[in-house]
Amino acid sequence: MARRAGVDWIENDVRPSRDGVPYVLHDATVDRTTDGTGHVGKLTSAQIDALDAGSWFAPAYAGIRIPTLAAQLADLRERGGRLLLDITGTRGKADIERIMQTVQEQQMMDRVLVQSFFPESLKQVAALAPQVPRGLLRDKLDADPVAVARELGVTAYNISDKSLATRPEVVAELHDAGISVNVWTVNDPARWQALTDLGVDGIITDRSTDLVGWNAARTETR
């Protein structure tokens, strides 16, 4: 749906299985969205591949499997789209290497932006694939966002809307330093307008088709 609407980026979380295969899954466990139980990192890829990840949503989706990162990247490569890839949790070097190797094997290095709440993960990505842009995810603003972003060498500072609202002036400060600002997770059109007026570079939302339509309508009436 997001692709058909014409969004700029599709955001996914990635989590490795016990044997290191990266999967696209938001939750740390498979309990809520599959017929299985357990932490993703404690299940093998064979165990994860056997799970039904569709029945919880609707009977028509029974038998749908949890997609691997490789499958998601292949789909984007073939059908169009760019991936905002959230590396969740604290990850060891081997996990980061496997994730970035998957991106490279799928020939998507120029269509992926890696983001993470964890600076160490971003440092490892920078060492492995310096050409891939990186974004620092933050729930709360740093005392000096510009200094933190520069230290990590990220191109984007991706902040929660609630936190940004307390210090909206940091958007201009980050822009002056050449760092883009993307805000999450914003589902209210009134906030879309306020953030657009602030000049943020991107809005991360659960209502992607609505946001695309809102933005198109706004552009037409300017």
Side-chain angles (χ1 to χ4, degrees), residues 137-158:
L137 274 168
R138 280 296 196 239
D139 184 35
K140 296 181 180 180
L141 281 165
D142 295 285
D144 189 343
V146 172
V148 172
R150 281 177 169 165
E151 180 183 357
L152 289 172
V154 297
T155 60
Y157 190 88
N158 299 347

Side-chain angles (χ1 to χ4, degrees), residues 14 21-24 67-78 83 98-99 101-103 105-106 108:
V14 62
V21 177
Y23 283 86
V24 172
T68 62
L69 176 61
Q72 167 69 332
L73 289 168
D75 179 70
L76 289 169
R77 187 187 69 247
E78 294 166 7
L83 183 62
R98 182 71 175 269
I99 290 168
Q101 180 184 6
T102 302
V103 176
E105 289 173 349
Q106 293 299 323
M108 289 286 286

Side-chain angles (χ1 to χ4, degrees), residues 140-213:
K140 296 181 180 180
L141 281 165
D142 295 285
D144 189 343
V146 172
V148 172
R150 281 177 169 165
E151 180 183 357
L152 289 172
V154 297
T155 60
Y157 190 88
N158 299 347
I159 183 66
S160 70
D161 183 39
K162 182 179 179 180
S163 188
L164 180 62
T166 66
R167 286 169 56 197
E169 65 274 9
V170 302
V171 174
E173 295 169 6
L174 286 158
H175 281 172
D176 287 344
I179 300 160
S180 65
V181 180
N182 302 295
V183 189
W184 56 272
T185 298
V186 190
N187 296 326
D188 180 3
R191 283 301 294 163
W192 295 345
Q193 184 63 60
L195 292 169
T196 299
D197 292 343
L198 263 181
V200 302
D201 300 276
I203 294 173
I204 299 171
T205 182
D206 298 319
R207 297 175 57 189
S208 57
T209 55
D210 293 336
L211 177 57
V212 171

Side-chain angles (χ1 to χ4, degrees), residues 12-17 19-24 68-70 73 83-109 112-116 121 124-125 128-129 132:
N12 288 143
D13 293 356
V14 62
R15 297 180 182 277
S17 64
D19 48 338
V21 177
Y23 283 86
V24 172
T68 62
L69 176 61
L73 289 168
L83 183 62
L84 178 58
L85 182 61
D86 185 353
I87 297 180
T88 59
T90 54
R91 301 296 169 200
K93 183 179 179 181
D95 285 337
I96 301 292
E97 286 179 342
R98 182 71 175 269
I99 290 168
M100 297 314 299
Q101 180 184 6
T102 302
V103 176
Q104 184 174 31
E105 289 173 349
Q106 293 299 323
Q107 303 172 27
M108 289 286 286
M109 298 287 271
V112 167
L113 190 155
V114 172
Q115 65 174 5
S116 180
S121 293
Q124 292 186 46
V125 171
L128 291 166
V132 174

Side-chain angles (χ1 to χ4, degrees), residues 40-55:
V40 177
K42 294 183 178 180
L43 299 172
T44 66
S45 55
Q47 290 173 311
I48 293 173
D49 289 342
L51 298 175
D52 177 349
S55 293

